């Protein structure tokens, strides 16, 4: 379980072993994708065509594995010993990867397929949907440290140009160091993410911070505050992101 912490020591953190992610039978089981009301209209139209394959998306993981009072429900996805719990200071010294992907725009079978080809050089990965206790009392304490979490990663994997229109994704990208963008060529052609990348309704160019998709105004305010903690401000954030996609979006 989560350890109690001293007020000055930072939150208790958790990392997932890369091999446990890549060999997770539930996440790699490919099936016909189901349409959910929470998905965007473009995603709904792709799935409604009926031939898109995949596994779970993040919102399904949230619904299926975090909706109970059992803190460890997400543990049942992975083999025993898949997670490592560590203090904030030990987490800061760890060698781990992070991922940025659009909410309900990619499946876990898509992500795992790409990472298997990526020849990752780290043993651990930090993924909010698995490593951040969704019912934890100190959840916001971890979220507010996003710049340090994403900035401290040894590897940074970005899935699809569609992330450019997602508010929280742009916040994560603000902290990027040496990110790798996996787009159409790397994504499984029969999967959701690839079909979304090539769909005519998908805007592949960066839409800008003010136009990015946010759940509500408080999300935008939180992201703005996080960006201001970086080495650049909201004012030139759009230029930074455009530069990112000009380099990695080819």
């Amino acid at each position: 379980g989560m350890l109690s912490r001293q007020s000055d020591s930072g939150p208790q953190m958790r990392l997932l072993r890369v091999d446990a992610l890549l060999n997770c039978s539930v996440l790699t089981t490919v099936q016909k994708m189901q349409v959910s009301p929470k998905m965007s209209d473009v995603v709904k139209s792709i799935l409604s065509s009926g031939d898109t394959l995949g596994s779970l998306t993040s919102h399904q993981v949230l619904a299926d594995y975090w909706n109970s009072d059992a803190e460890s429900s997400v543990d049942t996805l992975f083999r025993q010993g898949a997670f490592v719990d560590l203090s904030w200071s030990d987490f800061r010294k760890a060698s781990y990867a992070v991922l940025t992907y659009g909410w309900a725009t990619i499946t876990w079978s898509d992500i795992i397929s790409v990472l298997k080809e990526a020849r990752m050089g780290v043993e651990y990965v930090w993924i909010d949907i698995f490593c951040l206790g969704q019912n934890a009392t100190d959840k916001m304490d971890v979220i507010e440290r996003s710049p340090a979490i994403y900035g401290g990663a040894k590897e940074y994997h970005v899935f699809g140009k569609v992330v450019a229109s997602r508010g929280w994704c742009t916040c994560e990208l603000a902290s990027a160091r040496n990110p790798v963008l996996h787009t159409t060529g790397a994504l499984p052609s029969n999967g959701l993410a690839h079909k979304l990348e090539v769909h005519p309704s998908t805007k592949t160019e960066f839409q800008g911070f003010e136009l990015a998709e946010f759940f509500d105004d408080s999300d935008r305010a939180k992201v703005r505050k996080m960006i201001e903690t970086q080495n650049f401000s909201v004012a030139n954030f759009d230029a930074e992101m455009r530069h990112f996609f000009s380099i990695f979006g080819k």
Side-chain angles (χ1 to χ4, degrees), residues 60-150:
Q60 287 172 304
V61 170
L62 194 65
D64 295 349
Y65 292 92
W66 285 109
N67 62 357
S68 69
D69 292 332
E71 189 179 287
S72 62
S73 56
V74 77
D75 292 6
T76 60
L77 269 170
F78 303 99
R79 64 164 174 79
Q80 197 170 1
F83 290 102
V84 177
D85 293 295
L86 63 177
S87 67
W88 174 250
S89 60
D90 285 343
F91 175 84
R92 297 285 283 144
K93 297 173 205 155
S95 182
Y96 64 92
V98 287
L99 318 178
T100 287
Y101 53 87
W103 186 250
T105 64
I106 191 167
T107 64
W108 281 101
S109 48
D110 281 344
I111 290 172
I112 288 167
S113 173
V114 171
L115 292 180
K116 279 182 173 173
E117 296 293 318
R119 296 202 178 108
M120 296 173 73
V122 292
E123 191 179 349
Y124 303 103
V125 59
W126 187 88
I127 306 170
D128 56 358
I129 196 71
F130 302 129
C131 300
L132 173 60
Q134 301 297 312
N135 307 316
T137 53
D138 63 354
K139 181 179 167 183
M140 279 314 299
D141 193 7
V142 177
I143 290 172
E144 285 166 3
R145 292 169 194 254
S146 290
I149 294 169
Y150 284 86

Side-chain angles (χ1 to χ4, degrees), residues 142-236:
V142 177
I143 290 172
E144 285 166 3
R145 292 169 194 254
S146 290
I149 294 169
Y150 284 86
K154 297 288 187 291
E155 290 184 19
Y156 194 124
H157 298 275
V158 182
F159 295 85
K161 290 187 224 172
V162 70
V163 301
S165 65
R166 299 299 172 104
W168 283 101
C169 292
T170 57
C171 177
E172 293 163 8
L173 285 166
S175 310
R177 293 196 309 181
N178 305 315
V180 177
L181 178 64
H182 305 286
T183 182
T184 42
L187 299 165
S189 59
N190 64 345
L192 174 60
H194 182 277
K195 292 186 177 184
L196 190 61
E197 287 282 275
V198 300
H199 196 280
S201 301
T202 300
K203 291 185 178 135
T204 52
E205 61 193 351
F206 182 63
Q207 295 181 11
F209 179 79
E210 294 304 335
L211 296 175
E213 174 192 81
F214 287 91
F215 185 67
D216 55 31
D217 286 339
S218 71
D219 269 359
R220 192 188 297 277
K222 280 186 201 124
V223 175
R224 184 186 292 278
K225 186 179 171 189
M226 286 182 191
I227 292 168
E228 294 287 13
T229 70
Q230 303 302 301
N231 295 328
F232 48 85
S233 67
V234 170
N236 64 343

